[in-house]
């Protein structure tokens, strides 16, 4: 896999489709890697120049040894686009990747045409809970988190019908880098973009899962109410909506970007 060195991090990335097509970069959720977007890659690679990468501390990207910040997560995206010679792109991120997208709409609007943020919030959870999770993962590893993740990620119906898909994502989480996961938890602990939403300068589609217990429809409505040029779409899914409702998710991307 290609590797891009950005200051202290080596980012694993992959591209699909022709570079002459409009660029679309995907950003993964906490505890996953770029392969979570496989259904979108397969469906959209004829229409877009697709760029996927593993967030720092995830997948095959390296794990700088410090608590990360949302500025670093967003800066990695901008640096990767510059490295690839992409002047302007579209962006789609989910959960932590969605929060990264909100940051980009505020702090790097010159790099983006449109931004899609899914299953996210301008402030995800609370500082104490994220720090407790970071401490627990560093001490005990990721298996316990992986064991309970499916109940947060998917509806019971999806878990029953698609056990292989659920197992793959859970296994990827369990074998991930515990320090990378914990470092991202610490980024989420302090990231709060609620007061900055008014400064978002890129049109955003906010996708909210109707059954999402982590980032709710109310969280999505808050983004839309406070960010200029933001629209809300709900989807019949839990937290990992692009996997649970992959066809509908791709339809929303195509409709918004075209």
């Amino acid at each position: 896999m290609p590797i891009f060195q950005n200051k202290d991090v080596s980012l694993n990335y992959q591209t699909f489709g022709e570079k002459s097509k409009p660029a679309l970069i995907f950003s993964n959720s906490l505890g996953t890697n770029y392969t979570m977007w496989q259904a979108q890659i397969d469906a959209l690679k004829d229409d877009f120049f697709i760029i996927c990468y593993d967030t720092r501390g995830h997948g095959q990207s390296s794990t700088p040894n410090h608590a990360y910040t949302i500025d670093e997560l967003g800066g990695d995206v901008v640096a990767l686009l510059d490295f690839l010679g992409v002047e302007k792109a579209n962006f789609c991120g989910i959960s932590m990747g969605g929060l990264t997208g909100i940051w980009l709409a505020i702090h790097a609007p010159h790099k983006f045409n449109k931004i899609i943020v899914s299953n996210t919030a301008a402030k995800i959870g609370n500082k104490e809970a994220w720090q407790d999770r970071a401490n627990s993962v560093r001490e005990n590893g990721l298996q316990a988190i992986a064991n309970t993740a499916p109940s947060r990620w998917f509806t019971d119906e999806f878990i029953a019908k698609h056990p292989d898909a659920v197992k793959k994502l859970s296994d990827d989480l369990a074998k991930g880098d515990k320090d990378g996961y914990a470092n991202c938890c610490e980024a989420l602990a302090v990231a709060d973009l609620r007061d900055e939403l008014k400064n978002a300068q890129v049109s955003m589609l906010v996708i909210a899962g109707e059954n999402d217990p982590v980032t709710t429809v109310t969280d999505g409505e808050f983004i839309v109410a406070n960010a200029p040029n933001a629209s809300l779409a709900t989807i019949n899914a839990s937290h990992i909506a692009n996997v649970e409702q992959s066809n509908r998710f791709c339809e929303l991307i195509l409709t918004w970007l075209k």
Side-chain angles (χ1 to χ4, degrees), residues 8 55-56 66-76 96 99-100 103 182-193:
D8 64 342
T55 298
R56 58 172 60 210
H66 63 268
Y68 305 151
T69 66
I70 189 63
D71 294 32
E72 288 176 312
L73 300 184
D76 287 341
M96 178 177 67
L99 185 63
T100 300
W103 185 93
N183 293 344
C184 282
C185 286
E186 289 175 328
L188 294 171
V190 297
D192 187 349
L193 302 178

Side-chain angles (χ1 to χ4, degrees), residues 2-6 9-13 53-56 60-62 76-77 80:
I3 295 290
F4 163 56
Q5 187 68 37
N6 180 37
V9 67
S10 299
L11 291 176
N12 177 58
Y13 73 93
Y53 73 102
D54 292 331
T55 298
R56 58 172 60 210
Q60 299 303 308
S61 290
S62 67
D76 287 341
V77 177
L80 178 57

